[in-house]
Amino acid sequence: MKRMAFSALVGALLLVGRSWPAQAADDEFDKVEIKVHKVAGNIYMLEGEGGNIGVSVGPDGIVIVDDEFAPLAPKIKAALRSVGQDKPLKFVLNTHYHGDHTGGNVVFGESAPIIAHENVRNRLASASKARNGRERPPAPKTALPVITFHDTVSVHINGEEIRAIHFPAGHTDGDSMIYFVGSNVVHTGDDFVTYGYPFIDLAAGGSVKGLVANWDKAFALLPADVKVIPGHGPISTLADVRRFIGMLKDAIAAVSSGMKQGKNLEQLKKDKVLAALEPAWGKGFLKADEFIEIIYKDLGGK
């Protein structure tokens, strides 16, 4: 399977709300390369398959933000050694509960405490039904966050504050952005992605309108020159995020306008109400019709 096809499959699994069936795909994970990117200060980004991993390296040890999939743990550990010189892993932070960001918890949770918003632990610890009707079992104990918070929490390590800030009802209801204050880097989780239309997990408390509102607050908290680690995609800037949020506002306006005219979901799809956005944003795994449906439901459509 080529890299693009593999990424599309990861996206499809997110659409149905499933964690990765690692036992069925180890041969594909064997082909994944973990790339290391220096971001700023003592912060790195690891890019593999799944959500980007943020890394703080310093005299006190290593902190990682998200951990992709469990079968990639040996490769992730090797990448951490390449920048951390065998320094110990001290903490793991999760930006949200999806399996492409927390699948490695089961491995890394054996070495360091996991920190996440309380809703992340609640969702990982509970069985749930995916959109395809399949049951997602609870995560094993070692994969669960052992330190949870409601609004914010800070880890003081490697000479700087690593601040986790909860933003409700965005990609999910447990989203946190992780701000490395001294290095001026923020890991956004999937509240910002670069692949195109974002998947908003309505079943897990997500909201397109909520995501826009969250960023209106985040823009006021973050310096204009902050380096951005997206949930998926290359290192970015706040200008990139503003373009992304502009797209979301335009998409919401297009769907809302059609709904005010009395159009149902099928009519909105037939009218291709996101056609103006397609050239720039329609190249990801989430297609226009699927994003129209997410917005339609978020705006109260049945």
Side-chain angles (χ1 to χ4, degrees):
M1 188 185 298
K2 295 181 179 179
R3 176 67 180 271
M4 286 293 291
F6 192 27
S7 298
L9 179 55
V10 171
L13 290 170
L14 286 180
L15 278 174
V16 297
R18 292 176 60 195
S19 298
W20 185 267
Q23 69 278 9
D26 285 350
D27 58 333
E28 297 302 334
F29 285 116
D30 288 343
K31 302 172 186 177
V32 173
E33 176 187 359
I34 304 296
K35 298 178 181 178
V36 179
H37 305 276
K38 181 68 179 288
V39 184
N42 63 345
I43 308 304
Y44 296 82
M45 183 183 89
L46 304 187
E47 176 190 10
E49 198 62 61
N52 288 327
I53 300 173
V55 183
S56 169
V57 177
D60 300 323
I62 295 174
V63 177
I64 62 173
V65 178
D66 292 343
D67 46 32
E68 295 193 353
F69 299 105
L72 293 175
K75 293 183 179 183
I76 294 169
K77 289 180 179 180
L80 293 176
R81 286 194 296 272
S82 75
V83 297
Q85 301 172 345
D86 290 323
K87 288 183 172 63
L89 180 65
K90 291 291 190 175
F91 296 98
V92 177
L93 290 91
N94 291 155
T95 61
H96 63 290
Y97 86 101
H98 285 153
D100 63 321
H101 293 256
T102 64
N105 279 13
V106 69
V107 176
F108 293 102
E110 295 179 347
S111 304
I114 302 169
I115 304 172
H117 186 262
E118 56 197 27
N119 288 345
V120 174
R121 179 181 170 91
N122 292 340
R123 292 196 178 279
L124 287 175
S126 303
S128 62
K129 282 192 178 297
R131 286 177 61 180
N132 62 1
R134 294 184 181 179
E135 190 82 5
R136 181 183 63 80
K141 183 178 179 181
T142 55
L144 297 177
V146 296
I147 300 171
T148 61
F149 62 95
H150 184 69
D151 293 314
T152 65
V153 70
S154 291
V155 177
H156 297 269
I157 193 170
N158 293 334
E160 73 174 333
E161 178 187 3
I162 302 174
R163 185 184 304 160
I165 308 168
H166 173 55
F167 287 95
H171 177 61
T172 71
D173 62 6
D175 298 352
S176 296
M177 296 187 199
I178 313 299
Y179 180 37
F180 301 90
V181 178
S183 298
N184 196 27
V185 175
V186 64
H187 191 312
T188 67
D190 283 1
D191 277 5
F192 169 61
V193 295
T194 68
Y195 53 67
Y197 300 128
F199 170 56
I200 305 299
D201 194 344
L202 301 180
S207 166
V208 189
K209 293 186 299 180
L211 182 56
V212 171
N214 288 343
W215 269 109
D216 285 344
K217 297 174 184 176
F219 287 138
L221 297 175
L222 297 170
D225 61 347
V226 67
K227 296 288 181 66
V228 178
I229 299 175
H232 299 264
I235 298 165
S236 302
T237 67
L238 277 191
D240 297 319
V241 179
R242 289 185 187 279
R243 284 190 288 272
F244 173 77
I245 295 302
M247 176 274 291
L248 293 184
K249 290 180 178 179
D250 288 344
I252 291 169
V255 175
S256 177
S257 176
M259 292 175 69
K260 288 176 181 177
Q261 297 171 38
K263 295 180 181 180
N264 62 26
L265 179 58
E266 293 309 312
Q267 290 172 314
L268 292 170
K269 291 179 180 179
K270 184 177 180 180
D271 288 351
K272 300 186 183 299
V273 296
L274 300 187
L277 302 174
E278 278 292 284
W281 301 97
K283 300 175 182 178
F285 77 88
L286 196 74
K287 303 309 177 187
D289 283 357
E290 295 166 320
F291 196 46
I292 289 170
E293 184 169 352
I294 287 172
I295 297 171
Y296 180 81
K297 290 181 178 178
D298 192 38
L299 295 178
K302 303 300 183 182

